[in-house]
Structure formats: structure tokens, C-alpha cells
Amino acid sequence: MVPETAPSDRPRRDVVSFVRRGTRLSRSRQEAWDRLADDFVLDVPRGERDTIPAPGARLDPREVFGRDRAGTVPLVVEIGSGQGENIAAAAAAHPERDHLAFEVYLPGIAQSLDRIERAGSPGNVRLVPLDALHSLPTLLPAGSIRELWIFFPDPWHKSRHHKRRLVNPPLLDAVLPLMAEDGVLRLATDWAEYAVHMRTVLDADPRLGSLHPGGPRPAGEPSDTVPEETPERGWAPRFEGRVLTSFERKALDAGRLVWDLAYEVRGSRPEPGYPDPEAPASGA
């Protein structure tokens, strides 16, 4: 038996909120990747695993998007962008903003590239093939994110898997120091139990305040079980900037409701710039 204190040269296995699926691409997706990846996928040096950046890796939005941010160009970050419906549409509709999407599923990134091209190849969007939770704290400078989007993350239904859920305190400790003074978190899920979990996590954090404290819960009776403790108020209306994806449509067809949340970042913000990797996490 190896003592617990024995050193190991194997990478530490952090809890992640995703399952790394196969990376084989269809012919059309491979063609999209070959044609567009150099323009839209950021090649960040990798660390001990291929889903996390190397120590010291940085993403300077000014360099990534090639424009002066002295005019406070807003940066929207989407975690888990799937097949890119939202990020491609948002970038095309809002040239005044920059858009950065994190997604670990390579076929989804390839599909996103195709959607970006069909949206006119806007120059204000980039894709990052990394695990956002373990990458964002070192990649982006403090105060750089105006909006953070998390739409339909994996609900991890089994109780023993709840620690894998993306929306948990470690995520807030990772991303809130990166949010601008007027930063906004937008979330959505089609599972009532996960929606209540999100509310519990977000409402308990003093760094956040609901943008819709009086907002009613979604109308209707869903096909999934609604926990008894589900709050009647505090829900956001459907975010008008979120397109109706095939994923959301399937959820609605299955009889589930979509629960939206929107929170603003409150309190003093860290000084702009890259966080010290040796410093303890904010809120820890």
C-alpha cells in the first residue's frame, strides 16, 4: 500500500463538470475545422492535461481580438457553448462586444466554426477548447468579463455526482474576481431540481444579487419533479439574447420548463490585471 504522503508523478485528478467524449470528426466538421480553426480557435499552451492551460498561459483580450479596449469593449464569456448557436448569433448581432466561448467537446467546436462562418465570420468571437473552471482564473485578467453565460449545463442528476455540477461555489470563486463592476451572470437550465440547486448556490453568495428578485417562476407544470422548496420568486424572464437551440427545443418538447437566472456582481472589485496564482482564491 502506497502511503498517502508518497509523491506521485501522475497528474492530480480534479473534479470536472464534463465527460470528455470522442474527438473523431465527421467529414463536414473536419473540413470546417481545417478551414476555420486557425482564425477562431485559440491555441493555448496545454498543461498536465489537454483541457487545462500550461502554467503562466494568458489570454489578453486586446491581443486576442486585435482592438484597443481603452474604450471598454465589453467581453462576453460563455462556458459550455455546445454547438455554438448562441455565441455565433451573439457575435454577429453585437459587433460592439467581444465573445469568448469555452467548450471541451471538439465536434461541438467544429460545428460552432460552421455556424460562425454561416453567421458571416464575425471577427469578434473566439473559441477556447479548455475546461473553463480550471482555466479562467489564470487565463483572463481581473475585471475583464462583462457578462458570463452558462446555458443548460450538465445537471448530473445522481446525488453522488452533484459535486461535478458546474454551478457550485468553486466556480464562483474562480470567475467572480474576473467580472467587471457591472458584471452580470446569466444562467438557464431545463431541470427544476438543478434550478433550485443554482438558486441555493447563487443566493448564498454575498458577492451576487438577483436582477429579478420579484420575478415569477416559469408558468406551467413540467414533466420533471419540482422540489417542494422551489422559490416562487427570484426567477429571470427568458434572456432575449439566447437563441432557441435544438437542445432547448427538445427540452420543451419533452415537457420540461426552462428556468432562467440573472445576477449582478456586487461589492468592491479586484484591481484590474492578472490574478496572482499563488494567492488564495477569493471567497475561500
Side-chain angles (χ1 to χ4, degrees):
M1 181 175 181
V2 179
E4 292 184 1
T5 55
S8 172
D9 57 0
R10 291 188 298 177
R12 180 168 58 90
R13 302 300 297 174
D14 294 311
V15 174
V16 296
S17 62
F18 59 89
V19 173
R20 184 75 170 197
R21 303 179 181 88
T23 58
R24 185 178 180 85
L25 301 179
S26 66
R27 179 177 177 179
S28 61
R29 286 176 172 173
Q30 185 64 58
E31 290 175 349
W33 183 279
D34 295 341
R35 189 172 63 250
L36 302 165
D38 286 347
D39 292 331
F40 295 103
V41 180
L42 298 181
D43 185 14
V44 181
R46 306 302 173 88
E48 60 187 18
R49 297 201 308 273
D50 68 346
T51 57
I52 64 172
R58 297 285 187 267
L59 291 180
D60 187 335
R62 294 171 299 183
E63 296 178 0
V64 168
F65 296 100
R67 57 180 174 180
D68 182 11
R69 303 189 74 83
T72 61
V73 178
L75 176 64
V76 174
V77 172
E78 182 176 16
I79 297 179
S81 53
Q83 297 187 9
E85 295 102 322
N86 278 297
I87 207 70
H94 294 279
E96 78 283 1
R97 302 187 315 213
D98 289 332
H99 302 78
L100 196 62
F102 283 77
E103 177 57 60
V104 296
Y105 185 41
L106 297 185
I109 298 174
Q111 186 65 48
S112 300
L113 291 171
D114 181 68
R115 294 184 186 279
I116 290 170
E117 185 178 52
R118 285 189 278 137
S121 298
N124 60 336
V125 58
R126 297 292 186 275
L127 310 176
V128 186
L130 296 176
D131 170 15
L133 175 60
H134 296 99
S135 301
L136 276 170
T138 58
L139 282 182
L140 289 180
S144 61
I145 302 176
R146 184 70 58 82
E147 290 199 14
L148 181 72
W149 297 352
I150 304 174
F151 299 143
F152 305 101
D154 193 325
W156 291 102
H157 291 295
K158 295 180 181 179
S159 297
R160 68 175 183 271
H161 290 158
H162 285 185
K163 63 184 178 182
R164 290 183 173 271
R165 288 177 166 176
L166 177 62
V167 183
N168 267 319
L171 173 73
L172 301 183
D173 289 339
V175 301
L176 291 186
L178 309 179
M179 302 292 294
E181 278 192 35
D182 52 354
V184 174
L185 273 66
R186 300 191 186 278
L187 310 94
T189 181
D190 56 314
W191 292 100
E193 191 276 331
Y194 196 14
V196 174
H197 170 85
M198 288 181 175
R199 283 290 305 271
T200 301
V201 171
L202 298 169
D203 288 349
D205 197 307
R207 295 169 292 182
L208 296 172
S210 174
L211 286 174
H212 303 276
R217 54 178 281 182
E221 291 298 325
S223 58
D224 58 319
T225 301
V226 178
E228 292 184 2
E229 67 271 21
T230 302
E232 291 294 325
R233 298 286 173 179
W235 304 100
R238 188 184 191 282
F239 175 42
E240 61 182 12
R242 192 178 76 244
V243 301
L244 182 62
T245 65
S246 57
F247 184 94
E248 183 174 353
R249 189 177 297 108
K250 288 178 182 178
L252 296 173
D253 290 344
R256 296 192 297 275
L257 301 178
V258 174
W259 306 75
D260 274 77
L261 290 167
Y263 286 75
E264 62 181 345
V265 180
R266 293 178 173 174
S268 60
R269 311 304 306 131
E271 288 295 320
Y274 290 99
D276 180 357
E278 301 299 325
S282 175

